[in-house]
C-alpha cells in the first residue's frame, strides 16, 4: 500500500494542537511540561529559536519532543507563537545513556512552509565523552555536529535550529 | 541497535521539501540532504494515548463547542481505517483534527479572512481508532479558504489530520480533501505530491454510511509508514 502523503500543518494548527498554550477554548492533550518542574528533583529546561533562510525567527512552528531512555518515556509539544522572542520552551529531565549512546532527545518540527515534518536530535554539551563516541553523531560530518548539541547554562539547555544556510541544522531520515 | 531500518518516507508518495509553487517552502525547507540513521530505542517507540485522554464530545465537532445553538453548515460524518503499508490495521491510535468553519473561516486569531466566525463551532477535535483501526468523527463541511500564496489563491475544502501511529517514525500530519472539488486543480499544496499520490488524500462520498435526516458521510482511509524493515547500509 502507498503511504498517505504528508501535507503542511499550516499556519492555524494552534487551536487544534496546542489550544491552551494559545488560549483557545479546547482542552490540551499535551503541553510543554514533560515533567512538572515544581515537583521533580532534577528538572531541566530546553529552549531555542527556529530560524528561516533569511535568519529570521519563525513564529508559527510547532515543536514536539520525545525521549525514551528505557526508564522515562516523555512527550511534549509547544508552538513558537506565544513567547515574545518566538522561543520554544520545555520542562523535562535529561535522559540517560542507552547502550553507550550519548543521551539525546528526539525533536520533531512542523510549520507552515514545510510540506513534511523534520526530525532532528538534541544532544547535551556536558556529555563530551559520550558525544565523541556516539554512533549517530559520528555519522554526521564533523563541521555540522555542533548544530545538534545544546549549550548548557545552569539547568537550561539552549539549541537554536536553522532551517537553511551555513548553520543549517542536521535533519535525519528516520 | 538493530542493523535494520524501518520504512522511510516514500518519495513517490510524499512531497519534496522544496516546492516553489508553495512559496513558504522557499525559506523553510531544509536544503541539505537528510542523514540516514538506524533507529534506536527512542525512535522505535512513541507517545501512547488512550481512550482516557479523549473527552466524550471530542469526536463530535458539531457539539464540542456549542454555546447557544447548532453550528451552521452541512453536517457530516468522516470515517475510515488507519492501516500500515502492509494493510495491517493500526488500533488505538490518536487522530487530532482541525479545520475551518462552513464559511471558510478559521478560529485562529491570525486568520483575517472576511468571513463570519461561528459562535458554535471551534473546529478542533480528536478521536481514537478502535481495535480494528476504524475511526469516525462528526463535523461540518469546511468552506474554501482564500490565502496569499499567489493572486486569487483559494485552498480547497480540507480537514487537517494529525496521527502518531506506533512510533515517532510513523508520525503523519496530512490534509483530507473532497473528491471532485474544482479548487484542487489550482492548489499548490495538494499538487506538491505526484499525481498518483493525490488520490490518497481524497475523501470519497459514502452513501451507505450517510445517516438519514442527520449527516452525509465521507470515507477516508489513512496509510502510515511501516512496518517493513530493510537492511541498514552505512553511507
Amino acid at each position: 500500500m502507498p503511504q498517505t502523503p504528508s501535507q503542511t500543518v499550516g499556519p492555524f494548527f494552534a487551536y487544534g494542537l496546542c489550544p491552551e498554550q494559545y488560549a483557545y477554548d479546547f482542552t490540551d492533550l499535551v503541553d510543554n511540561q514533560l515533567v512538572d518542574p515544581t515537583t521533580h528533583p532534577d528538572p531541566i529546561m530546553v529552549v531555542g529559536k527556529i530560524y528561516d533562510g533569511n535568519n529570521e525567527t519563525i513564529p508559527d512552528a510547532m515543536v514536539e519532543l520525545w525521549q525514551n531512555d528505557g526508564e522515562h518515556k516523555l512527550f511534549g509539544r509547544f508552538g513558537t507563537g506565544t513567547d515574545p522572542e518566538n522561543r520554544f520552551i520545555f520542562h523535562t529531565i535529561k535522559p540517560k545513556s542507552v547502550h553507550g549512546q550519548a543521551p539525546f532527545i528526539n525533536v520533531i518540527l512542523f510549520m507552515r512552509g514545510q510540506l513534511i515534518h523534520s526530525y532532528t536530535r538534541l544532544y547535551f554539551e556536558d556529555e563530551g565523552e559520550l558525544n565523541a563516541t556516539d554512533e549517530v553523531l559520528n555519522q554526521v560530518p564533523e563541521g555540522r555536529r555542533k548544530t545538534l548539541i545544546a549549550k548548557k547554562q545552569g539547568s537550561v539547555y539552549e539549541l537554536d535550529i536553522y532551517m537553511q544556510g551555513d548553520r543549517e541544522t542536521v535533519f535525519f531520515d528516520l | 541497535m538493530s542493523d535494520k531500518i524501518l520504512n522511510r518516507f516514500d518519495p513517490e508518495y510524499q512531497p519534496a521539501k522544496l516546492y516553489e509553487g508553495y512559496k513558504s517552502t522557499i525559506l523553510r525547507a531544509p536544503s541539505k540532504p537528510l542523514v540516514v540513521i538506524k533507529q534506536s530505542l527512542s525512535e522505535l517507540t512513541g507517545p501512547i494515548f488512550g481512550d482516557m485522554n479523549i473527552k466524550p464530545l471530542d469526536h463530535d465537532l458539531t457539539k464540542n463547542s456549542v454555546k447557544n445553538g447548532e453550528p451552521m453548515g452541512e453536517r457530516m460524518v468522516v470515517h475510515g481505517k488507519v492501516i500500515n503499508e502492509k494493510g495491517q490495521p493500526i488500533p488505538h491510535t490518536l487522530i487530532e483534527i482541525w479545520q475551518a468553519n462552513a464559511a471558510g473561516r478559521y478560529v485562529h486569531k491570525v486568520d483575517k479572512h472576511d468571513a463570519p466566525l461561528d459562535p458554535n463551532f471551534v473546529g478542533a477535535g480528536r478521536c481514537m481508532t478502535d481495535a480494528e483501526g476504524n475511526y469516525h468523527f462528526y463535523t461540518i463541511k469546511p468552506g474554501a479558504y482564500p490565502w496569499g500564496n499567489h493572486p486569487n489563491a483559494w485552498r480547497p475544502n480540507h480537514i487537517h489530520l494529525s496521527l502518531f501511529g506506533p512510533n515517532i517514525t510513523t508520525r503523519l500530519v496530512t490534509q483530507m480533501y473532497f473528491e471532485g472539488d474544482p479548487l484542487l486543480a489550482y492548489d499548490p499544496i495538494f499538487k506538491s505530491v505526484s499525481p498518483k499520490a493525490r488520490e490518497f488524500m481524497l475523501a470519497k462520498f459514502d452513501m451507505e454510511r450517510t445517516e438519514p435526516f442527520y449527516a452525509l458521510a465521507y470515507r477516508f482511509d489513512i496509510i502510515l509508514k511501516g512496518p517493513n524493515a530493510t537492511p541498514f547500509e552505512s553511507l
Side-chain angles (χ1 to χ4, degrees):
Chain A
M1 307 284 291
Q3 297 166 359
T4 300
S6 171
Q7 295 274 271
T8 182
V9 74
F12 303 138
F13 60 82
Y15 67 90
L17 301 183
C18 328
E20 291 180 39
Q21 183 199 338
Y22 286 76
Y24 288 104
D25 190 13
F26 189 57
T27 51
D28 269 350
L29 196 56
V30 290
D31 61 16
N32 66 338
Q33 297 204 0
L34 290 78
V35 299
D36 181 346
T38 62
T39 58
H40 200 281
D42 210 5
I44 63 168
M45 268 175 80
V46 167
V47 302
K49 299 175 196 169
I50 307 174
Y51 290 89
D52 71 10
N54 280 344
N55 267 334
E56 288 176 10
T57 55
I58 294 179
D60 56 358
M62 184 177 85
V63 181
E64 289 180 345
L65 298 191
W66 166 250
Q67 56 189 83
N68 180 0
D69 61 7
E71 186 180 341
H72 294 103
K73 301 176 187 182
L74 302 172
F75 180 70
R77 177 188 275 173
F78 199 70
T80 58
T82 58
D83 179 74
E85 295 176 66
N86 300 131
R87 291 180 305 167
F88 56 84
I89 301 164
F90 290 94
H91 301 278
T92 185
I93 51 173
K94 202 166 155 185
K96 295 182 307 184
S97 166
V98 177
H99 301 314
Q101 302 167 76
F104 68 93
I105 298 175
N106 287 110
V107 180
I108 316 176
L109 295 178
F110 304 82
M111 66 190 78
R112 172 178 67 83
Q114 271 202 156
L115 287 156
I116 187 163
H117 51 279
S118 296
Y119 293 100
T120 185
R121 284 182 171 194
L122 180 148
Y123 287 87
F124 300 89
E125 182 182 45
D126 53 340
E127 294 288 345
E129 256 177 62
L130 287 171
N131 288 346
T133 56
D134 185 77
E135 191 178 353
V136 168
L137 277 175
N138 277 288
Q139 249 184 276
V140 172
E142 198 176 350
R144 299 187 67 200
R145 279 175 211 162
K146 59 179 181 295
T147 71
L148 300 172
I149 300 174
K151 293 204 159 48
K152 179 179 194 306
Q153 196 162 42
S155 62
V156 179
Y157 290 86
E158 183 169 4
L159 182 68
D160 290 335
I161 294 172
Y162 292 85
M163 300 311 300
Q164 298 178 353
D166 294 344
R167 289 185 283 186
E168 183 171 324
T169 295
V170 171
F171 297 106
F172 294 107
D173 191 349
L174 296 186
Chain B
M1 288 203 273
S2 81
D3 42 21
K4 300 231 163 155
I5 53 174
L6 301 179
N7 295 34
R8 294 200 243 146
F9 281 116
D10 182 349
E12 288 189 41
Y13 287 91
Q14 298 298 345
K17 292 184 172 48
L18 176 67
Y19 183 74
E20 293 193 352
Y22 175 27
K23 291 190 179 145
S24 302
T25 62
I26 295 170
L27 289 174
R28 292 182 169 198
S31 66
K32 295 186 167 64
L34 303 182
V35 176
V36 181
I37 56 172
K38 287 189 285 193
Q39 291 103 353
S40 68
L41 173 67
S42 193
E43 285 90 19
L44 293 170
T45 53
I48 294 170
F49 301 97
D51 291 334
M52 72 283 190
N53 297 118
I54 306 289
K55 294 200 165 75
L57 290 179
D58 277 358
H59 76 295
D60 192 340
L61 286 73
T62 73
K63 293 198 169 76
N64 70 11
S65 49
V66 160
K67 293 281 187 294
N68 58 11
E70 296 262 326
M72 296 294 291
E74 192 173 288
R75 205 184 285 125
M76 60 182 202
V77 56
V78 177
H79 75 103
K81 200 184 244 308
V82 180
I83 57 176
N84 63 22
E85 290 175 78
K86 275 192 172 165
Q88 297 160 330
I90 309 290
H92 310 301
T93 200
L94 173 70
I95 304 178
E96 294 170 282
I97 305 150
W98 71 104
Q99 62 167 86
N101 69 22
R105 177 77 187 263
Y106 284 88
V107 165
H108 198 285
K109 296 173 183 100
V110 178
D111 184 3
K112 299 289 192 279
H113 177 29
D114 180 21
L117 286 167
D118 185 332
N120 295 305
F121 191 76
V122 166
R126 47 180 83 102
C127 64
M128 302 286 295
T129 60
D130 66 15
E132 280 79 49
N134 296 309
Y135 76 93
H136 73 279
F137 62 89
Y138 290 90
T139 189
I140 295 293
K141 189 169 185 183
Y145 170 79
W147 61 312
N149 187 69
H150 54 276
N152 197 19
W154 292 83
R155 297 295 329 280
N157 306 339
H158 65 279
I159 296 178
H160 296 266
L161 300 169
S162 164
L163 290 95
F164 284 86
N167 57 63
I168 64 162
T169 77
T170 56
R171 190 85 177 83
L172 176 72
V173 171
T174 189
Q175 299 180 28
M176 181 199 102
Y177 302 92
F178 294 84
E179 202 177 34
D181 187 333
L183 289 169
L184 292 170
Y186 305 97
D187 182 47
I189 295 180
F190 178 70
K191 289 165 73 179
S192 67
V193 304
S194 65
K196 70 176 177 185
R198 293 173 197 163
E199 67 173 289
F200 294 95
M201 300 189 291
L202 296 178
K204 307 260 194 297
F205 177 67
D206 184 351
M207 190 65 197
E208 256 179 54
R209 276 290 292 261
T210 293
E211 299 184 17
F213 297 100
Y214 191 72
L216 296 181
Y218 290 86
R219 181 175 180 103
F220 186 62
D221 294 330
I222 300 165
I223 308 158
L224 300 181
K225 273 203 305 188
N228 296 334
T230 53
F232 177 77
E233 289 166 37
S234 226
L235 299 178

